[in-house]
Amino acid sequence: MKKYNRLKAPSKWLFIVIISTNFTSIQAQLKTNAGVQYLLSQSKDVSQEFLDLSNTYFFADSLVSLDTNSGKGVLKWRREQLVPRQAFNANTYLHQPLKSLDFPNTAYDNDPQLPFSIEPVDERTIRIRILTTPVIPAEVESPMLVGKPANGLREWKVSSTSKNIVYSSKYGSLTVEFHPWRLTLKDAEGKLLTQTRCWSDNDSTQIKVPPFSFIKRGSDNSRSINPVFSLAPNERIYGCGESFSSLNKAGQKVNLFVTDPQGPEGPDMYKPIPFFMSSRGYGMFMHTSAPVTCDFGSSYIGATKLFMEDEGLDLFVFFGKPKDTLSEYTALVGRPQMPPLWSFGTWVSRITYFSEAEGREVAKKLRENKIPSDVIHFDTGWFGTDWQCDYAFAADRFDNPQKMLSDLKEEGFHVSLWQLPYFTPKNKFFHELIEKDLYVHNGKGQLPYEDVVLDFTNPETIKWYQEKLARLIEMGVSAIKVDFGEGAPLDAIYHNGRSGLYEHNLYPLRYNKAVADITRQIHGENIIWARSAWAGSQRYPLHWGGDAATTNTGFEGTIRGGLSLGLSGFCFWSNDIGGFVTQTPEELYRRWLPFGFLVSHSRIHGAPPTEPWFYGQAFTDYFRRCAELKYKLMPYIYAQAKECTEKGWPMVRALLLEYPEDPGAWLVEDEYMFGSNLLIAPMLESASKREVYLPGKQKWIDYQTGKIYSPGWNRIECGSLPIIIMVKDGSAIPHIPVAQCTQQMKWDKIAWKKYLVDKKSAEGLICLPSDGKLQHLTIP
């Protein structure tokens, strides 16, 4: 008996330890990301969730039915499991057919048949929806879309055989193969663009690439979908938001999860966008707000794997060249109304001006030094306590805020104010927000964090918030800085009943909209200054590139981010000229300045000093010249901006957008077109010349020196400013006399400058702020 009891006690203890350890392991799984302990606002790698042995896997197998009139069909899925395999020194996992052991077996299908649909939208766009449940969700208004997508079936011809159904328009086709089920995209000439992968695409002895599938998790029976498409040799992928890595995403794994990456030097993003386009002539918009990981040939060079946390797929596919694709995409998710003219001027800021006296002194210095400028921004220090947002000017440092705003407006200055949507326990509104239930909740109905996070799915929260902003805007504030917004709780319940899984990425869009709506309601102007974004945020300009390091690396990441965001449907973008983190070295500041003034919106901001007079008179004079360059070009900039709002194109655009037929244009990542006529090549390092690729077949004229260059690679010397500015042959560029602010510009004094080499006439755009009409002009 003693021996039995001695054995029993340790055995029982061992059992308890094992259970405890397993439970801890499960908890750790829920709190890790790609096997690494999860940190708040770290991007989420969804791909790892598709490698779990406890999951049940379902693979798209065959078409059961498809009504081509309604577009509704049924797809059969084959049940499989993931099992380990050893081959000498290689251990892998393989999927194998699975016979369901679900109980009762009469209640669950081994190989379920589930709904899907094919819905043409217009002649370039087709929508594919696939469900992983027999329950068809109710149609709800999407904050990402502008209205309900049109029914474009009449613009497509539908034909069928015993093996497939083909939808075709004058721009391309979509073929639905019956068995094995496959979607194939081709262009108008019949060239294969991409297709979903099947098991038969795998070589029997090489890497197994799981095809189009969804998983049912062992942890909670939730489902997530994984579309898998072919990726062709030399295919290039662009988009996915304000990404700071190489513009070409082929070979990369990209996490579409809103984060605060602490600057534009790493893989995470303030502004991930679930949209991309291919060099082969197609694009895709994943209409979801759930986290997505896009594996563009990273784990297997021949496959694009879209790991989606969402339980269903809602995919818009576009046919066309990059400009066509951007126009189609932005027609769905919306384009911005034109921002006010003054917003294109110089924004002057630092972190931070603390008083009315500082603001007035900066305005005085700008005018004394004749630096064209339109906006003075007060960052985190205009409250009684720095960073403690209470929507009130500090009474001991702002004698008469309304008079200050009025006086500055008379001098041609608009004022922008910083704020954020988080409230610490020491904030005066902390308890009020809790009492009024205006915050995001955790599963217990309490605070997910120690801070209150405003819940923008709650109409009462929006009302409360907009009332606070309205008092400032009515006082004379012109713009609100929409900072942060990346940290919306993931493990949380929102007022609309949705979890953070679907609301985290939408938070910036709802936040952007709330501020833009109240500003437009009071001032009639479409302007904010925001850091975070998601699909749909492009309707609410403008967004800046975040907290760049004051280094060449920060400069490079900033340029890439701006170009990538433009390739993701955003017309307007800005950056902190010189970087944000520390005082900018003068040499870097000199190189960054002309670039900063040759984007749609221009702001100096960051650790003090940012103001040019603190660098000396010579630098102040140089700063003035850079600002004057933009103000002279304001008619060109304004007209190009107007066209962008009408077409969904970016002001700062990668060369491939203007020159898709030029293979070299797809390779260049440190130059850009500023509108359709000017090519800009910033100086990323200290030098007097650089290699510049000039795309197309026409000649190019150096804006600064007048020298003429042929297309292709050229080694070009900088002009008086350390930047290369080239004008396309046949361009007519409108200029205006320099003014100290945009409201003083004399639009009846526009002068056209023609740039002609081989072309016989020059073409240009003009749009007068007085009427807002875009005109295309040809000047002999």
Side-chain angles (χ1 to χ4, degrees):
M1 284 293 288
K2 290 181 180 178
K3 196 177 284 187
Y4 174 80
N5 287 338
R6 274 199 296 268
L7 288 171
K8 183 176 181 181
S11 178
K12 183 177 181 182
W13 177 246
L14 180 62
F15 177 74
I16 294 171
V17 171
I18 291 172
I19 292 295
S20 176
T21 303
N22 285 346
F23 180 69
T24 304
S25 176
I26 292 170
Q27 282 187 315
Q29 265 188 354
L30 296 175
K31 296 297 182 183
T32 60
N33 184 31
V36 179
Q37 193 68 28
Y38 182 75
L39 297 176
L40 180 64
S41 200
Q42 177 187 11
S43 71
K44 189 171 174 57
D45 184 352
V46 184
S47 68
Q48 299 302 304
E49 300 180 23
F50 288 77
L51 297 173
D52 192 331
L53 290 169
S54 71
N55 291 340
T56 303
Y57 294 79
F58 295 88
F59 292 94
D61 181 69
S62 57
L63 181 71
V64 177
S65 66
L66 178 60
D67 182 340
T68 57
N69 291 320
S70 66
K72 296 179 180 178
V74 176
L75 182 59
K76 180 180 178 181
W77 299 80
R78 192 172 73 191
R79 182 186 296 247
E80 298 202 2
Q81 63 180 334
L82 194 60
V83 296
R85 174 181 183 265
Q86 177 185 341
F88 294 106
N89 63 336
N91 289 340
T92 60
Y93 294 103
L94 295 178
H95 294 85
Q96 294 293 303
L98 176 64
K99 176 64 177 175
S100 174
L101 298 176
D102 292 351
F103 179 84
N105 59 6
T106 55
Y108 305 101
D109 294 327
N110 191 80
D111 298 326
Q113 298 182 10
L114 300 170
F116 89 107
S117 64
I118 304 291
E119 306 164 42
V121 176
D122 61 33
E123 57 190 2
R124 287 189 184 273
T125 304
I126 196 162
R127 187 180 194 180
I128 302 162
R129 290 198 269 190
I130 297 177
L131 299 180
T132 63
T133 169
V135 180
I136 298 176
E139 291 280 351
V140 294
E141 184 177 347
S142 168
M144 290 174 271
L145 302 178
V146 284
K148 184 178 180 180
N151 183 340
L153 182 60
R154 66 184 180 277
E155 299 182 61
W156 291 71
K157 177 184 176 182
V158 185
S159 59
S160 62
T161 70
S162 60
K163 295 182 178 180
N164 59 43
I165 296 174
V166 180
Y167 290 78
S168 58
S169 78
K170 64 181 181 180
Y171 295 110
S173 67
L174 169 67
T175 300
V176 184
E177 301 288 346
F178 294 170
H179 187 271
W181 181 82
R182 189 198 294 272
L183 299 177
T184 300
L185 304 177
K186 295 182 179 180
D187 67 14
E189 283 70 47
K191 171 189 171 184
L192 175 66
L193 301 178
T194 188
Q195 61 185 4
T196 55
R197 286 184 60 94
C198 301
W199 279 118
S200 59
D201 296 326
N202 290 302
D203 184 287
S204 61
T205 61
Q206 299 298 323
I207 298 173
K208 298 294 188 293
V209 179
F212 203 119
S213 67
F214 73 86
I215 57 172
K216 184 175 74 171
R217 292 177 180 80
S219 58
D220 58 6
N221 285 349
S222 64
R223 300 168 305 282
S224 290
I225 199 161
N226 176 210
V228 181
F229 292 87
S230 62
L231 187 68
N234 298 316
E235 182 173 358
R236 304 175 72 83
I237 301 293
Y238 297 86
C240 291
E242 189 190 43
S243 171
F244 312 117
S245 61
S246 175
L247 293 184
N248 176 21
K249 301 305 173 206
Q252 299 185 43
K253 180 190 281 188
V254 183
N255 295 324
L256 303 180
F257 185 82
V258 175
T259 64
D260 177 359
Q262 305 284 295
E265 298 88 24
D268 293 341
M269 291 181 272
Y270 302 105
K271 309 171 191 66
I273 306 297
F275 164 83
F276 64 89
M277 52 188 171
S278 164
S279 58
R280 293 178 70 82
Y282 70 90
M284 293 184 178
F285 168 47
M286 296 163 281
H287 180 213
T288 181
S289 58
V292 178
T293 293
C294 300
D295 181 332
F296 297 113
S298 174
S299 59
Y300 182 77
I301 63 173
T304 289
K305 307 174 185 178
L306 307 176
F307 297 97
M308 306 173 71
E309 195 91 30
D310 205 318
E311 64 183 37
L313 173 68
D314 188 1
L315 185 71
F316 291 88
V317 177
F318 312 104
F319 295 83
K321 296 177 181 179
K323 273 189 170 182
D324 301 321
T325 297
L326 277 183
S327 291
E328 288 292 306
Y329 166 63
T330 55
L332 283 173
V333 297
R335 300 168 187 152
Q337 296 178 10
M338 192 69 171
L341 173 63
W342 58 262
S343 73
F344 293 91
T346 309
W347 296 53
V348 177
S349 175
R350 65 157 64 176
I351 184 166
T352 176
Y353 301 133
F354 285 99
S355 68
E356 177 178 335
E358 282 185 286
R360 288 183 179 275
E361 178 65 16
V362 170
K364 178 183 175 184
K365 286 282 192 181
L366 288 166
R367 293 295 181 247
E368 284 179 352
N369 286 285
K370 299 190 181 303
I371 296 174
S373 43
D374 275 78
V375 184
I376 293 175
H377 171 72
F378 290 86
D379 213 61
T380 64
W382 61 282
F383 317 110
T385 302
D386 193 15
W387 290 92
Q388 288 289 350
C389 178
D390 61 7
Y391 307 105
F393 286 95
D396 60 335
R397 289 178 273 117
F398 290 85
D399 296 334
N400 190 332
Q402 189 154 4
K403 186 175 188 308
M404 176 194 73
L405 295 168
S406 176
D407 291 347
L408 290 175
K409 186 70 69 71
E410 286 184 12
E411 297 170 25
F413 290 106
H414 294 256
V415 168
S416 166
L417 295 180
W418 178 93
Q419 52 83 67
L420 82 172
Y422 313 143
F423 295 80
T424 68
K426 293 184 178 181
N427 189 287
K428 66 182 263 187
F429 292 117
F430 181 81
H431 295 291
E432 177 185 342
L433 290 165
I434 292 175
E435 290 168 5
K436 292 182 176 179
D437 199 26
L438 304 181
Y439 62 96
V440 177
H441 296 71
N442 62 15
K444 195 177 180 180
Q446 298 177 353
L447 289 177
Y449 309 151
E450 59 185 330
D451 296 347
V452 161
V453 177
L454 291 179
D455 186 346
F456 290 111
T457 72
N458 185 347
E460 290 302 313
T461 302
I462 296 174
K463 180 181 177 182
W464 180 92
Y465 177 62
Q466 289 183 335
E467 285 175 353
K468 298 292 185 290
L469 298 183
R471 285 196 282 271
L472 296 166
I473 297 169
E474 289 167 349
M475 187 187 295
V477 172
S478 295
I480 299 297
K481 182 174 176 179
V482 187
D483 207 359
F484 291 87
E486 303 92 358
L490 189 61
D491 298 327
I493 306 298
Y494 290 71
H495 181 269
N496 62 2
R498 288 159 52 109
S499 75
L501 185 69
Y502 291 95
E503 283 297 328
H504 171 88
N505 282 336
L506 277 181
Y507 195 89
L509 172 57
R510 299 189 189 279
Y511 180 27
N512 294 172
K513 183 179 186 300
V515 180
D517 283 352
I518 191 63
T519 304
R520 187 166 50 246
Q521 178 183 320
I522 296 172
H523 281 333
E525 295 178 335
N526 190 34
I527 185 69
I528 62 174
W529 190 279
R531 189 173 76 174
S532 56
W534 186 251
S537 290
Q538 74 289 331
R539 301 191 296 264
Y540 312 111
L542 57 107
H543 296 78
W544 98 100
D547 303 341
T550 50
T551 63
N552 287 340
T553 300
F555 191 13
E556 178 186 34
T558 294
I559 294 171
R560 284 181 175 177
L563 292 176
S564 187
L565 191 66
L567 291 168
S568 306
F570 282 67
C571 298
F572 305 111
W573 172 82
S574 187
N575 63 99
D576 290 343
I577 299 176
F580 171 82
V581 180
T582 58
Q583 179 181 344
T584 308
E586 181 176 337
E587 189 277 329
L588 174 63
Y589 207 168
R590 282 181 174 271
R591 286 186 283 116
W592 203 315
L593 268 170
F595 160 76
F597 278 108
L598 292 172
V599 299
S600 70
H601 291 78
S602 306
R603 181 181 77 158
I604 58 168
H605 179 69
T610 59
E611 302 81 6
W613 44 87
F614 289 108
Y615 287 81
Q617 188 59 50
F619 186 84
T620 301
D621 295 341
Y622 172 77
F623 189 105
R624 181 191 312 111
R625 288 173 53 216
C626 293
E628 287 179 347
L629 170 67
K630 184 172 190 179
Y631 277 64
K632 289 176 186 175
L633 285 169
M634 196 59 72
Y636 171 82
I637 293 168
Y638 195 75
Q640 294 289 327
K642 179 65 174 178
E643 182 179 46
C644 288
T645 64
E646 294 181 356
K647 301 290 183 63
W649 301 338
M651 281 288 289
V652 174
R653 61 188 70 156
L655 302 189
L656 64 93
L657 276 179
E658 286 294 320
Y659 298 95
E661 306 301 332
D662 184 340
W666 293 82
L667 306 177
V668 178
E669 302 197 346
D670 61 354
E671 304 172 23
Y672 62 95
M673 296 296 296
F674 185 38
S676 58
N677 299 88
L678 298 180
L679 182 148
I680 312 299
M683 302 300 292
L684 291 173
E685 296 183 272
S686 180
S688 62
K689 61 182 69 172
R690 61 160 286 179
E691 294 292 331
V692 179
Y693 185 78
L694 301 177
K697 298 179 180 179
Q698 75 291 313
K699 296 285 200 314
W700 292 84
I701 303 96
D702 191 316
Y703 182 82
Q704 297 189 80
T705 67
K707 293 180 180 178
I708 298 169
Y709 294 88
S710 297
W713 286 105
N714 293 265
R715 190 162 183 78
I716 301 177
E717 187 90 25
C718 293
S720 58
L721 298 178
I723 195 167
I724 307 298
I725 309 171
M726 307 300 292
V727 189
K728 182 171 64 176
D729 184 18
S731 299
I733 308 294
H735 292 71
I736 199 168
V738 171
Q740 287 300 289
C741 59
T742 54
Q743 75 180 31
Q744 295 175 1
M745 287 182 169
K746 301 188 181 302
W747 289 83
D748 58 345
K749 303 294 184 183
I750 290 175
W752 290 86
K753 185 171 182 180
K754 296 183 292 183
Y755 293 83
L756 296 173
V757 182
D758 297 328
K759 302 290 185 180
K760 302 303 180 185
S761 61
E763 297 182 354
L765 299 176
I766 191 67
C767 179
L768 300 178
S770 57
D771 61 22
K773 294 179 181 178
L774 184 66
Q775 300 179 63
H776 297 254
L777 300 180
T778 299
I779 302 175

